[in-house]
Amino acid sequence: MERRPLFKPVHPVYEVTEQMIRLGEAPGYTFELEDENGSIRKMIKLMDGTRTVGEIHTLLAVEYPEITYEEIVEAVESLSGLGFLMDQAKEEASVLTSEQKERYKANIRYFSLFTDLNQSPSELQELLSRKKVTILGMGAFGSTLLVNLVGAGIQHIKLVDFDRVELSNLNRQMVFNERDIGRLKVEAARDFIGRLHSEVLIETETMQITSSEDVERVIAGSDLVMLAADQPFFFLQRWVNHACTKLQIPFIAGGFNLIEGQFFMVEPGKTGCIDCMHLHRSTQIEDYPQLIQRLLDTNFILPTATIAPNTMMITGMMASDAIRYLTGIAPVQSAGKFIIFDFNTLEKSVFFEWERKEAECPTCGKGSGTEPIFHIKRNEVLAK
């Protein structure tokens, strides 16, 4: 299949002066080139996806006979390396249906920012369609993540929750409506997605997680897990961490702290896990295990105090990182980093980073697990 270069439609081309043109306008995608005789402008105009490199040279040589085929090949490779070209022949070879291409048109344009002549944007969309994501929790975080991931093109999602829709959910959980009140959230969410995108396969599991074995069972076969629940405090994250580490499945977790949203990603074998994080925090905070124990002993749960825009901002970042991971288009921003987003200042920062502690961690490493942080208990039979 011979290449047919297409100058990506997302990038404008315009004259700065009669002898200078600018390619692109987005940060990181802007270059100015000298074009004294207009040959570059003409060449770019011919790169409309309908012509091979040889055909572009033939047409360009009519007006600029001094330009060689080798120079056109070199220019094509340079423009591709700068991120301005895609191969229309590869794009047309995509297995996406015409309906899918129309549905995901804006996605594909976005993905074109991360591709060159060797990979078509539609290939990334196809890649997403083959992934399976499990969302643990279908409250404000989980339901908003669900919509983001379906919109991105994930076509196999498993929802795990035991709760029912309440009137007080409707200020921020937009997949539900008044007629859903009293229904199981996973079922109402499944029906919502059925109306939004009928091709998406939604699996549901109605259950309350009480152990790492529960997590292991429900996430098996997933490419990524989104932890969108926070109870029981401390233990749920460790259960998910243990199961994901055992099955080698990455997970992204997030939550609220009134005026802040937080999220992070654990990728087994590459980043530190949750227990590595607890070891790290124990070195930073002198009475860290005692602090966790006091929080558990008081059984304090932050009251829900948030609005839909704040939920959408933090879950949007989480979903964006999920897409980065599943497609490989860019580094995952939250891998091994505890990121916080301040809703008052709209500032994002890395609160702390942690590394894998292979020698000490009892979950992803060879540690004995004798540290105090791993022996915290609750009165209820939950700490398994």
Side-chain angles (χ1 to χ4, degrees):
M1 181 172 59
E2 198 167 357
R3 288 174 169 176
R4 286 186 275 120
L6 170 66
F7 196 89
K8 296 175 183 177
V10 293
H11 295 302
V13 180
Y14 56 91
E15 294 183 356
V16 178
T17 67
E18 288 186 4
Q19 298 183 340
M20 179 80 70
I21 62 172
R22 179 176 292 172
L23 312 181
E25 196 56 47
Y29 295 92
T30 302
F31 294 89
E32 292 186 354
L33 299 174
E34 290 187 5
D35 187 26
E36 295 181 0
N37 62 2
S39 61
I40 297 177
R41 274 164 283 192
K42 179 71 172 180
M43 178 183 67
I44 289 174
K45 188 173 182 180
L46 291 171
M47 291 179 178
D48 62 359
T50 66
R51 304 176 178 88
T52 66
V53 175
E55 290 169 338
I56 291 170
H57 173 251
T58 299
L59 291 172
L60 196 62
V62 173
E63 192 171 346
Y64 304 96
E66 71 279 8
I67 296 178
T68 66
Y69 173 77
E70 289 72 24
E71 287 174 322
I72 297 298
V73 171
E74 184 179 351
V76 167
E77 293 301 326
S78 295
L79 288 171
S80 176
L82 292 173
F84 289 114
L85 296 185
M86 56 187 281
D87 183 0
Q88 185 63 15
K90 277 184 175 291
E91 189 65 14
E92 290 175 3
S94 166
V95 299
L96 295 179
T97 66
S98 57
E99 183 177 340
Q100 288 171 327
K101 287 183 178 181
E102 181 63 24
R103 175 184 286 272
Y104 298 124
K105 182 188 296 184
N107 288 5
I108 293 167
R109 287 172 179 163
Y110 173 74
F111 292 142
S112 76
L113 292 172
F114 305 95
T115 61
D116 55 22
L117 287 169
N118 298 313
Q119 184 179 43
S120 78
S122 287
E123 286 179 51
L124 294 176
Q125 193 65 60
E126 293 170 24
L127 181 61
L128 280 178
S129 72
R130 297 192 293 270
K131 300 298 184 180
K132 177 183 177 181
V133 176
T134 294
I135 304 176
L136 303 177
M138 202 39 44
F141 264 58
S143 60
T144 313
L145 283 169
L146 172 62
V147 175
N148 275 289
L149 295 177
V150 169
I154 308 294
Q155 294 198 20
H156 188 179
I157 300 178
K158 188 170 187 177
L159 312 179
V160 183
D161 202 317
F162 65 94
D163 207 0
R164 295 180 181 271
V165 180
E166 300 176 0
L167 180 60
S168 61
N169 299 148
L170 302 187
N171 80 309
R172 65 203 183 281
Q173 300 178 26
M174 301 305 183
V175 302
F176 308 128
N177 61 62
E178 292 176 352
R179 284 184 286 184
D180 290 324
I181 293 173
R183 296 186 67 197
L184 289 167
K185 286 185 176 181
V186 292
E187 294 182 359
R190 179 196 59 205
D191 293 348
F192 176 90
I193 296 302
R195 294 188 295 272
L196 176 68
H197 192 342
S198 58
E199 291 183 356
V200 175
L201 172 61
I202 298 290
E203 293 183 66
T204 63
E205 186 90 34
T206 304
M207 65 173 294
Q208 183 172 10
I209 293 172
T210 61
S211 68
S212 61
E213 289 79 12
D214 285 347
V215 179
E216 189 176 332
R217 181 177 64 80
V218 298
I219 70 171
S222 300
D223 295 292
L224 179 67
V225 171
M226 307 297 288
L227 177 53
D230 58 4
Q231 294 299 319
F233 170 69
F234 183 73
F235 296 109
L236 179 60
Q237 284 190 354
R238 290 200 66 207
W239 294 334
V240 172
N241 180 67
H242 186 274
C244 284
T245 300
K246 182 178 179 180
L247 298 179
Q248 293 292 288
I249 300 172
F251 70 94
I252 299 176
F256 282 121
N257 183 15
L258 296 181
I259 63 169
E260 291 178 343
Q262 312 114 12
F263 68 104
F264 59 87
M265 179 181 179
V266 169
E267 186 174 358
K270 294 187 178 180
T271 70
C273 72
I274 290 287
D275 284 347
C276 294
M277 182 183 75
H278 287 311
L279 288 168
H280 172 76
R281 296 296 280 164
S282 294
T283 64
Q284 290 186 319
I285 302 171
E286 185 176 354
D287 61 344
Y288 182 68
Q290 291 79 11
L291 173 62
I292 297 295
Q293 189 66 66
R294 286 195 295 269
L295 289 171
L296 287 168
D297 289 344
T298 59
N299 201 31
F300 178 72
I301 300 175
L302 280 173
T304 301
T306 189
I307 55 176
N310 290 352
T311 303
M312 292 176 180
M313 283 189 279
I314 197 71
T315 53
M317 294 181 206
M318 293 170 66
S320 182
D321 252 3
I323 294 164
R324 287 188 181 95
Y325 172 75
L326 292 169
T327 60
I329 58 174
V332 176
Q333 296 298 303
S334 61
K337 299 177 183 178
F338 194 95
I339 294 177
I340 59 174
F341 184 80
D342 189 313
F343 298 127
N344 289 336
T345 64
L346 300 185
E347 293 180 346
K348 185 183 74 161
S349 60
V350 177
F351 185 45
F352 64 86
E353 300 181 48
W354 75 97
E355 297 179 350
R356 187 180 177 200
K357 296 182 178 293
E358 187 172 2
E360 306 164 67
C361 180
T363 301
C364 72
K366 303 173 183 177
S368 61
T370 56
E371 291 83 358
I373 191 65
F374 302 130
H375 294 276
I376 289 176
K377 303 293 182 182
R378 288 191 64 168
N379 292 328
E380 298 91 342
V381 185
L382 287 173
K384 190 172 182 178

